[in-house]
C-alpha cells in the first residue's frame, strides 16, 4: 500500500502537495472507483482535522448563522447519497502538452477522473435552515489547507452560484463508498458538486458563506479560469465540465500482438446529461466503429465503454470520440483547446499502439 493508503502503482505527480492518479487499467471496466484507486488533487498539505472537535460554520447573508458538529448534521437533516464522477479541471492535460509545453503544471493523464458513492446531507437543506437572504447570489466554501502556489499563500476558498448550490444533488458528504471519508479525500466533511470541475467540490470543509459576489480567494479569482471571454482580462471562471472521453487500455505506447485487441475507456457528459454514443477509429478518423457503452448510473456520471479491434502489424493510432444526449460532440484537435494552464482538454483522445 502506498502513501495515503493508495495503491502502489499510482502515478504520483507530487508527494507534497499530494497529487496522484491511477494507471488506466485500474479504472477500466469499474463503474465505481475503489478509494485506494481514486485520484487525489491537493493544493497544500493534507489537514488532519479531529472529527470530534470539528465544526461547520454557516454564515454571511443568512438569517440564522449555524455552527454544526457532524452529529448535529446527521441528526437535523435527512441523509442523502449519490453516485458522482469527480474530474480535475486538468484531466488529460498531457494531451495539451503535446501541442505546446505548459510549465509548472501537472501532466495529468486520463486518470484525474474517478467515480464514488458519496453520502451526507443536501447543502440546500442546510442553507434553507440557515435562511439565506434573497440578495445572496453565491455560496462560498472555505477549507484550512494552505496552498503555497497561491499568491499570497492562503487557505482554499472558492464559490458556486447560489442556484447551483441549492440544487438537490449538491452534497455535504462525510462518507465515500460506504466508509468515512479518508483524510486525503476531505475528512471529516467535503462538498460534492456533480458535473462541475473538481476544484468546486471542496475538501476539509469548515465554512459555508452566503455572499453577493463570488469568493475573493485565489482559486476563484485567479486560478481555474480560461483566458478571455466576456469577463475580460481576468478570464472566465470554470464551472460545469463539458463532454469528455478517454482511452484507458491499452495505454499509449503499449506493445500488443496483431489480431483482436480490446480497447476500453470512459466517457462522461456534463451536469444533467448522459453519453449517447462512443466511436473509435484506427485510420485517422476516416472510418469509425461504434463501441459498446454501459448504461449510465445517473446524469453526469461516467460510462465505461469497450470495443474489440482487429489490428494488423505496425503502429496503430487509436482515436475515440463521444456525443451526449443533447447532440454535443468533442473537438478533434487539442490544438484548438490549448490554454496557458492546460484546463479542460476535451479533444478526441489518441493512443499509439505498437502492434508486433
Amino acid at each position: 500500500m502506498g502513501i495515503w493508503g493508495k495503491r502502489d502503482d499510482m502515478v504520483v505527480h507530487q508527494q507534497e502537495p499530494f497529487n496522484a492518479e491511477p494507471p488506466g487499467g485500474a479504472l477500466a471496466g469499474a463503474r465505481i472507483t475503489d478509494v485506494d484507486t481514486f485520484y487525489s488533487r491537493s493544493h497544500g498539505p493534507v489537514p488532519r482535522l479531529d472529527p470530534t472537535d470539528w465544526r461547520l460554520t454557516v454564515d454571511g447573508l443568512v438569517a440564522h448563522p449555524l455552527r454544526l458538529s457532524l452529529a448535529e448534521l446527521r441528526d437535523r437533516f435527512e441523509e442523502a447519497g449519490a453516485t458522482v464522477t469527480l474530474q480535475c479541471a486538468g484531466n488529460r492535460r498531457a494531451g495539451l502538452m503535446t501541442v505546446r509545453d505548459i510549465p509548472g503544471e501537472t501532466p495529468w493523464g486520463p486518470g484525474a477522473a474517478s467515480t464514488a458513492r458519496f453520502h451526507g446531507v443536501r447543502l440546500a437543506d442546510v442553507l434553507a435552515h440557515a435562511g439565506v437572504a434573497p440578495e445572496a447570489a453565491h455560496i462560498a466554501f472555505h477549507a484550512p489547507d494552505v496552498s503555497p502556489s497561491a499568491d499570497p499563500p492562503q487557505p482554499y476558498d472558492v464559490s458556486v452560484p447560489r442556484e447551483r448550490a441549492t440544487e438537490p444533488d449538491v452534497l455535504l458528504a462525510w462518507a465515500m463508498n460506504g466508509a468515512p471519508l479518508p483524510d486525503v479525500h476531505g475528512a471529516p466533511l467535503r462538498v460534492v458538486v456533480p458535473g462541475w470541475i473538481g476544484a468546486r467540490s471542496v475538501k476539509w470543509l469548515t465554512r459555508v458563506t452566503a455572499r453577493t459576489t463570488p469568493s475573493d480567494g485565489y482559486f476563484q479569482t485567479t486560478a481555474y479560469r480560461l483566458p478571455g471571454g466576456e469577463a475580460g482580462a481576468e478570464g472566465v471562471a470554470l464551472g460545469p465540465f463539458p463532454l469528455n472521453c478517454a482511452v484507458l487500455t491499452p495505454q499509449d505506447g503499449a506493445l500488443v500482438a496483431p489480431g483482436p485487441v480490446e480497447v476500453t475507456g470512459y466517457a462522461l457528459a456534463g451536469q444533467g446529461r448522459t453519453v449517447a454514443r462512443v466511436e473509435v477509429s484506427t485510420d485517422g478518423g476516416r472510418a469509425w466503429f461504434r463501441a459498446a457503452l454501459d448504461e449510465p448510473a445517473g446524469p453526469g456520471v461516467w460510462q465505461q465503454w469497450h470495443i474489440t479491434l482487429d489490428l494488423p502489424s505496425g503502429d496503430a493510432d487509436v482515436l475515440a470520440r463521444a456525443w451526449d444526449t443533447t447532440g454535443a460532440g468533442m473537438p478533434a484537435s487539442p490544438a484548438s483547446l490549448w490554454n496557458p494552464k492546460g484546463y479542460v482538454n476535451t479533444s478526441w483522445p489518441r493512443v499509439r499502439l505498437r502492434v508486433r
Side-chain angles (χ1 to χ4, degrees):
M1 190 66 69
I3 186 172
W4 295 111
K6 294 299 179 181
R7 53 192 294 148
D8 290 332
D9 59 355
M10 291 288 280
V11 179
V12 178
H13 297 292
Q14 280 181 289
Q15 292 215 8
E16 190 70 80
F18 183 62
N19 289 292
E21 65 181 300
L27 296 176
R31 296 194 181 198
I32 299 295
T33 309
D34 291 338
V35 173
D36 69 348
T37 304
F38 206 101
Y39 83 96
S40 180
R41 173 67 172 110
S42 304
H43 295 89
V46 173
R48 301 274 196 169
L49 304 180
D50 184 346
T52 60
D53 296 334
W54 172 92
R55 297 293 185 273
L56 175 67
T57 298
V58 182
D59 61 8
L61 297 173
V62 297
H64 311 290
L66 305 174
R67 185 170 169 78
L68 301 165
S69 67
L70 273 179
E72 288 169 328
L73 276 171
R74 291 176 181 270
D75 291 343
R76 294 189 189 182
F77 303 99
E78 180 185 7
E79 186 169 338
T83 300
V84 178
T85 299
L86 295 180
Q87 182 176 197
C88 178
N91 189 35
R92 300 183 54 223
R93 180 182 284 131
L96 297 182
M97 289 176 163
T98 64
V99 177
R100 193 188 317 168
D101 192 23
I102 306 174
E105 296 297 330
T106 301
W108 294 104
S114 300
T115 299
R117 182 74 182 171
F118 291 97
H119 278 90
V121 297
R122 296 178 185 88
L123 175 59
D125 292 347
V126 176
L127 293 174
H129 191 71
V132 179
E135 63 268 27
H138 300 269
I139 305 298
F141 308 124
H142 180 87
D145 54 316
V146 176
S147 172
S149 65
D151 186 17
Q154 59 193 264
Y156 195 82
D157 196 288
V158 297
S159 62
V160 298
R162 175 180 178 170
E163 59 266 25
R164 181 67 186 109
T166 53
E167 291 186 88
D169 62 337
V170 178
L171 300 179
L172 300 180
W174 56 67
M176 180 180 183
N177 289 354
L181 283 172
D183 287 333
V184 75
H185 288 297
L189 193 78
R190 70 173 298 164
V191 186
V192 177
V193 185
W196 282 50
I197 62 168
R200 305 301 180 225
S201 289
V202 176
K203 296 178 285 188
W204 313 295
L205 185 68
T206 56
R207 185 181 298 271
V208 174
T209 303
R211 302 167 48 101
T212 58
T213 59
S215 166
D216 298 321
Y218 172 85
F219 291 98
Q220 184 77 32
T221 62
T222 303
Y224 295 111
R225 305 182 79 88
L226 289 176
E230 294 181 0
E234 297 82 8
V236 178
L238 294 171
F241 211 107
L243 175 71
N244 207 354
C245 177
V247 176
L248 293 174
T249 61
Q251 293 183 278
D252 189 43
L255 177 65
V256 300
V261 175
E262 185 178 46
V263 179
T264 70
Y266 65 76
L268 66 156
Q271 178 188 345
R273 304 190 303 277
T274 57
V275 178
R277 75 180 189 274
V278 174
E279 294 179 341
V280 176
S281 174
T282 58
D283 62 0
R286 292 185 295 276
W288 293 88
F289 304 94
R290 189 159 183 170
L293 180 67
D294 284 354
E295 290 296 316
V301 181
W302 72 9
Q303 294 162 248
Q304 299 278 331
W305 58 264
H306 62 91
I307 188 171
T308 299
L309 302 173
D310 191 12
L311 299 179
S313 295
D315 289 340
D317 284 337
V318 177
L319 299 171
R321 64 184 183 183
W323 284 263
D324 68 19
T325 46
T326 70
M330 300 167 60
S333 170
S336 65
L337 297 172
W338 190 94
N339 59 88
K341 298 293 284 184
Y343 293 140
V344 194
N345 180 14
T346 58
S347 64
W348 297 350
R350 175 192 302 263
V351 298
R352 171 156 289 193
L353 305 180
R354 297 179 297 140
V355 188
R356 303 285 189 272

